[in-house]
Amino acid sequence: EIVLTQSPGTLSLSPGERATLSCKTSQSVSSSSLVWYQQKPGQAPRLLIYGASIRATGIPDRFSGSGSGTDFTLTISRLEPEDFALYYCQHYANSPRTFGGGTKVEIK
Amino acid sequence: QVQLQESGPGLVKPSQTLSLTCTVSGVSISSGGYYWSWIRQHPGKGLEWIGYIYYSERTHYNPSLQSRLSISVDTSKNQFSLKLSSVTAADTAVYYCARDRGLLRDGYYYGMDVWGQGTTVTVSS
């Protein structure tokens, strides 16, 4: 099973700042298999990025993903008030699908 | 517009079986092309993939739950269901159903693109 480790656990930033979230996999994975989700309190996760860098439908271009091998990054270029939330990375595997532990982006 | 809606008891007694149903609208499960999935989230914790079913009734389960888990599909009702037996307090969580697009021929995994709103299940006597 591939383990995904996200850091930091919490990111305290102000609106307008840049957020950089990390997701490291326990072994090298194809970038085409890495996705990111956003989850707000009391809501289901929402797909943000697939293929490590491709924005899902309707996702603003302030969200971008990058990375390869074992190191992947989600960047929010300028934080909007609605971006303060939890973010999870996930890797495709036939079984089991695995999620990272999450990064909380909170208002400083 | 594709929508998923979970339903089932919010309270289950220890050692009993947790049963949930996900009703799908806007797309036919029998049309294929998707993996209909269950994910759970323990209170204040991260996401745990439970398993999925394909319209052909092919299933794949999280090995950590496999011995207690059954996922089935009813294409006539456009629903899929989860049964988790011998539950304990550790199974208390919000349970989500989701549509997983799987790995497509272009080599990309398109992720879980549609989710239900989630249903809270508490295991307690």
Side-chain angles (χ1 to χ4, degrees):
Chain A
E1 177 180 329
I2 294 177
V3 177
L4 281 66
T5 303
Q6 291 188 243
S7 62
T10 301
L11 201 50
S12 298
L13 295 167
S14 300
E17 289 194 295
R18 182 184 188 90
T20 303
L21 289 66
S22 171
C23 175
K24 294 185 186 297
T25 59
S26 58
Q27 55 187 278
S28 183
V29 302
S30 169
S31 59
S32 63
S33 65
L34 199 287
V35 302
W36 289 91
Y37 300 91
Q38 176 194 65
Q39 186 181 32
K40 297 180 181 180
Q43 296 185 18
R46 175 175 73 144
L47 179 66
L48 285 180
I49 300 278
Y50 64 91
S53 62
I54 304 170
R55 283 186 298 278
T57 303
I59 301 303
D61 60 8
R62 63 180 180 272
F63 290 92
S64 63
S66 62
S68 64
T70 60
D71 294 311
F72 297 89
T73 300
L74 175 69
T75 302
I76 311 171
S77 59
R78 287 178 56 85
L79 283 163
E80 297 287 341
E82 62 268 27
D83 300 336
F84 291 91
L86 271 164
Y87 293 85
Y88 294 96
C89 58
Q90 185 227 330
H91 169 255
Y92 166 87
N94 203 22
S95 179
R97 307 282 205 248
T98 50
F99 292 90
T103 291
K104 181 180 181 181
V105 179
E106 66 174 22
I107 299 177
K108 186 174 182 180
Chain B
Q1 181 184 1
V2 178
Q3 293 184 313
L4 281 65
Q5 178 67 58
E6 305 90 350
S7 59
L11 181 64
V12 182
K13 288 182 166 51
S15 80
Q16 293 191 342
T17 296
L18 181 164
S19 297
L20 296 175
T21 295
C22 182
T23 300
V24 179
S25 60
V27 65
S28 172
I29 288 178
S30 59
S31 65
Y34 302 104
Y35 298 84
W36 302 97
S37 303
W38 289 98
I39 302 94
R40 70 180 181 180
Q41 188 168 33
H42 295 101
K45 302 296 184 182
L47 301 166
E48 179 182 26
W49 177 77
I50 296 172
Y52 67 66
I53 189 164
Y54 199 58
Y55 82 101
S56 61
E57 302 190 35
R58 177 164 59 95
T59 55
H60 228 121
Y61 299 154
N62 190 321
S64 68
L65 298 170
Q66 187 163 354
S67 63
R68 301 190 291 130
L69 181 61
S70 175
I71 299 177
S72 59
V73 64
D74 186 339
T75 54
S76 68
K77 295 182 179 179
N78 220 33
Q79 296 175 333
F80 62 104
S81 298
L82 170 150
K83 290 188 187 299
L84 186 65
S85 63
S86 305
V87 296
T88 69
D91 296 307
T92 293
V94 176
Y95 286 76
Y96 295 100
C97 57
R99 183 178 79 169
D100 185 324
R101 301 195 62 184
L103 192 67
L104 300 191
R105 290 184 181 182
D106 60 5
Y108 279 86
Y109 171 58
Y110 285 74
M112 300 179 198
D113 63 344
V114 183
W115 294 65
Q117 65 185 25
T119 188
T120 299
V121 177
T122 301
V123 178
S124 175
S125 55

